[in-house]
């Protein structure tokens, strides 16, 4: 039975951010995760507040902070600092992010031919962020045999003016499909496999030359080229640089169905930052229960091949996600259960669950379900008092947000993760079982 | 099929039915070491939960219209190395690696196994014969022309790592020692543990057993070594479940007798202990009470020592070992779900700078990387690990699994030892330090 100062449950953006922040302060941190998901399923950007009414993320934070019970009410002022703190960690992992809270939200085209409002994106998607100049063309470039990206369908959809949400749009959208060496015969060709080939400098050179020829053959010049997000995994920065240098249009990646390469790169950079800070990540951990002594969490117990696996801990951060991520599950009788500790869940009445349009762009009311906390992210009970002293909750498990519909999930995740860790590690020295204290 | 039959089927085919939870997100592919290096294996999802839909009822291969024989939906499942990373990373709890192993076994069921696969599965038979003729067998395995013939005829790659057979088995040595010592009363379960040595310590690496026995004794535990056979994992990996079940039952009969008395079963081969803990029940579908009783009594040795430490009972008089120690956590250790106990124990040794190499798989995956057609895949899987270990410049490395140790040693030329050998060295350094402090001359390595 090993021991930690801080155990974090969940390895998404919130969990890993919390873990990095805690490890940086000298705490011995162990992340226990059921598997990979949140990062590997997402488009890899950092959505802070992409609501239609907002012009910039900062504007969006202000608007959301005014909504009753929204986590930005107490986290909003901290988002900028959290982003500034995270950026160098990601850059050290080879993933540069462009855009900040004052970058205008732009309708960025997606791989199903829609657009999504974004402002903070990895370098590979950066070329999608600037407004379209008059006469500027867009080439949507697919890879022959690759079934997760249909350039003709994407282009046909992007030709419709309303897709661009009232913003600027390309003057023309053309689709092409390029055969890349050795891929056409593959039966189950997937994004990761192509990305790994791009990591190989020799293959990369041939492939980019083929792409360049095909794009050059499209009438017009300059403009931008949308490619499926397959531009390398280990050596993404080099692949992107080569594409930018050799392609006759400014390239940007369109994130795809899972596993999402931009999301995987984000995960890899976060994990690397945690390992550098001395933390540990263990995936495949199914949490069975949490042990506590009165108001203090003392240990986390996970399933194992036989018996159970116990990690004694000075503190616990729950970052297991919301109803979509598995941090909350719904019972048939309409109760919502928080899976780790059975914490009190704040949720809309069950009558509203099915009344809503499942595809409402504003999101589903159930997204708002979650754990109510104080400003230090301690879960609170009906009386408003913290349920446990050394427990924090971060990310989409927090109540009051529509992490998908409001496009605020990433901003809430990284800001709450960092604050949760800091509030745990800032406890004055001499408090025997608190993190930061020496292990026995 | 009646409802009752369906329910019974679901209970017995627990692994296969987890495919219902699959979201097709392909996260498993992102962690698959084999798919990372070869196009021959499309990835865990394609041959696992995706193909499972076509394996109907009791998972018989589906009949394809117009074909004379039932076809398995994807024969490339044989390229799965069984490392288990897919199961670990799945966010939905699908038992992908287990499903793939069972599919492989079904694919091979009813056919005579390839001599090579059968032979690689018979580690105890090979061990017995090898030890019996050890000077000859060791010479043969080191002889390049013979290895080339073995590759052509049997299909075991000429470069595949093979350890040297011991001069006698651990069982024989132990009996000899017991005889010399005379009959002594066996201590109770508080003062003794049952040692599951597995094939490696029995036939090849008696020094690992010696280290385990000495460390256990230092911590107040005598060792009981009952008659035992191969855990059966090599047979499971090669899809030969019937024989694996025979081995499992033999071991369970012996081990359950001890487990019922409260003895714990401690093993130095992390893949054997994992097989006893998980695979007898999950893969071989042995659901008798004894299987659970024995599973719950079984410990990986580092897990056992760390547990002693948590109880404040571990002798921590480790001496200083001033060295860098690259450590590789084997896939099977991860499947235990016990964290990295060796790393936690290394942290107790003053001066020891153990570094987790943080690499998925060394590529050997039991007997996978020994096979002619899979050897290059295994080497490619392990390449980043080998590079890291070579780059560390460390004189030795550590790893809990024997086949991984052989693979790493062969590929890097770096001596690779079981964590408990390192710990024993630290204990001995501690003895020397305390003798020096108490004014007695230090005797190196005594």
């Amino acid at each position: 039975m090993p021991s930690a100062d801080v155990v974090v449950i969940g390895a998404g953006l919130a969990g890993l951010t919390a873990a990095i922040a805690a490890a940086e302060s000298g705490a011995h941190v162990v992340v226990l995760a059921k598997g990979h998901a949140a990062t590997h399923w997402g488009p890899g950007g950092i959505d802070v507040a992409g609501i239609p009414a907002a012009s910039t993320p900062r504007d969006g934070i202000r608007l959301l902070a005014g909504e009753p019970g929204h986590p930005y009410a107490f986290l909003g002022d901290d988002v900028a600092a959290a982003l500034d703190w995270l950026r160098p960690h990601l850059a050290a992992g080879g993933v540069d992010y462009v855009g900040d809270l004052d970058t205008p939200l732009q309708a960025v085209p997606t791989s199903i031919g829609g657009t999504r409002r974004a402002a903070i994106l990895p370098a590979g998607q950066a070329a999608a962020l600037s407004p379209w100049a008059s006469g500027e063309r867009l080439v949507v470039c697919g890879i022959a045999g690759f079934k997760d990206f249909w350039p003709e369908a994407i282009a046909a959809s992007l030709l419709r003016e309303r897709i661009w949400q009232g913003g600027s749009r390309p003057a023309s959208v053309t689709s092409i499909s390029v055969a890349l060496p050795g891929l056409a015969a593959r039966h189950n060709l997937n994004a990761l496999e192509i990305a790994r080939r791009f990591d190989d400098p020799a293959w990369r050179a041939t492939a980019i030359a083929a792409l360049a020829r095909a794009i050059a053959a499209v009438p017009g010049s300059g403009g931008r080229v949308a490619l499926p997000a397959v531009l390398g995994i280990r050596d993404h920065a080099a692949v992107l640089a080569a594409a930018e240098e050799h392609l006759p249009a400014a390239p940007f990646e369109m994130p795809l169905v899972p596993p999402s390469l931009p999301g995987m790169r984000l995960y890899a950079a976060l994990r690397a930052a945690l390992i550098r800070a001395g933390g540990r990540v263990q995936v495949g951990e199914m949490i069975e229960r949490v042990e506590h002594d009165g108001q203090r969490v003392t240990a986390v117990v996970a399933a194992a091949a036989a018996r159970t696996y116990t990690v004694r801990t000075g503190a616990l951060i729950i970052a297991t996600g919301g109803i979509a991520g598995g941090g909350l599950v719904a019972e048939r009788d309409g109760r919502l259960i928080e899976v780790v500790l059975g914490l009190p869940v704040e949720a809309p009445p069950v009558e509203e669950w099915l009344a809503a349009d499942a595809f409402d762009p504003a999101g589903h009311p159930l997204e708002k379900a979650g754990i109510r906390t104080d400003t230090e992210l301690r879960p609170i009970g009906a009386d408003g008092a913290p349920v446990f002293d050394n427990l924090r909750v971060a990310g989409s498990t927090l109540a009051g947000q529509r992490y998908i519909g409001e496009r605020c999930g990433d901003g809430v995740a990284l800001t709450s993760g960092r604050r949760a860790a800091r509030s745990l590690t800032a406890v004055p020295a001499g408090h025997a079982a608190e993190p930061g204290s020496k292990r026995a | 099929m009646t409802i009752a039959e369906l329910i019974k089927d679901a209970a017995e085919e627990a692994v296969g039915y987890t495919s219902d939870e699959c979201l097709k997100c392909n996260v498993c592919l992102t962690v698959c070491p084999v798919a990372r290096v070869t196009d021959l294996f499309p990835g865990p999802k394609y041959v696992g939960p995706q193909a499972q839909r076509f394996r109907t009822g009791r998972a018989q291969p589906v009949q394809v219209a117009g074909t004379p024989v039932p076809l398995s939906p994807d024969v490339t499942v044989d390229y799965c190395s069984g490392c288990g990373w897919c199961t670990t990373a799945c966010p939905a709890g699908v038992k992908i690696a287990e499903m793939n192993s069972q599919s492989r076994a079904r694919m091979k069921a009813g056919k005579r196994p390839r001599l090579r696969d059968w032979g690689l599965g018979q580690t105890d038979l090979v061990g017995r014969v090898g030890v019996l003729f050890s000077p000859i067998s060791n010479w043969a395995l080191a002889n390049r022309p013979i290895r080339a013939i073995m590759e052509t005829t049997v299909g075991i790659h000429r470069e595949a790592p093979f350890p040297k057979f011991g001069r006698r088995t651990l069982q024989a040595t132990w009996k000899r020692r017991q005889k010399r010592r005379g009959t002594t009363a066996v201590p109770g379960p508080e003062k003794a543990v049952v040692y599951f040595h597995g094939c490696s310590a029995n036939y090849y690496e008696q020094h690992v057993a010696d280290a385990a026995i000495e460390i256990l004794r230092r911590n107040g535990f005598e060792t009981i070594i009952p008659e035992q056979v191969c855990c059966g994992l090599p047979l499971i990996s090669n899809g030969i479940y019937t024989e694996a079940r025979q081995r499992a039952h033999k071991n369970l009969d012996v081990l359950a007798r001890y487990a019922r008395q409260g003895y714990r079963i401690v093993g130095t081969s992390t893949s054997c202990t994992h097989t006893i803990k998980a695979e007898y029940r999950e893969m071989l579908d042995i659901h008798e009470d004894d299987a659970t009783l024995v599973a719950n009594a079984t410990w990986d040795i580092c897990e056992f020592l760390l547990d002693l430490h948590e109880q404040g009972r571990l002798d921590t008089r480790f001496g200083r070992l001033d060295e860098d120690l690259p450590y590789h956590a084997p896939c099977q250790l991860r499947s235990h779900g016990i964290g990295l106990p060796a790393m936690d124990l290394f942290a107790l040794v003053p001066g020891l700078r153990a570094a987790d190499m943080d690499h998925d798989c060394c590529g050997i995956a039991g007997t996978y990387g020994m096979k002619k057609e899979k050897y290059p895949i295994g080497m490619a899987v392990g390449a980043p690990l080998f590079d890291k270990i070579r780059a560390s410049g460390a004189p030795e490395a550590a790893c809990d699994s024997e086949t991984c140790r052989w693979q790493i040693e062969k590929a890097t030329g770096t001596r690779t030892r079981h964590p408990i050998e390192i710990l024993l060295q630290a204990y001995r350094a501690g003895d020397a330090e305390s003798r020096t402090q108490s004014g007695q001359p230090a005797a190196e390595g005594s």
Side-chain angles (χ1 to χ4, degrees), chain B residues 381-438:
Chain B
V381 164
L385 171 68
F386 308 148
D387 289 346
K388 277 187 190 176
I389 290 176
R390 275 192 226 101
S392 75
E396 56 184 20
C399 179
D400 316 65
S401 165
E402 57 277 3
T403 50
C404 307
R405 287 197 292 275
W406 305 337
Q407 168 91 336
I408 293 167
E409 207 162 274
K410 180 92 200 286
T412 64
T414 307
R415 186 177 179 206
T416 307
R417 303 164 79 194
H418 193 289
I420 56 165
E421 295 181 84
I422 310 289
L423 294 178
L424 181 60
Q425 196 183 331
Y427 273 132
R428 287 182 176 160
D431 294 346
E433 284 168 18
S434 65
R435 274 194 301 271
T436 314
Q437 275 162 18
S438 61

Side-chain angles (χ1 to χ4, degrees), chain B residues 132-149:
Chain B
L132 192 60
F133 303 105
S134 61
I136 304 165
S137 37
N138 286 332
W139 169 81
L141 285 175
N143 183 290
R144 296 194 65 84
I146 292 180
R147 289 296 300 271
I149 295 166

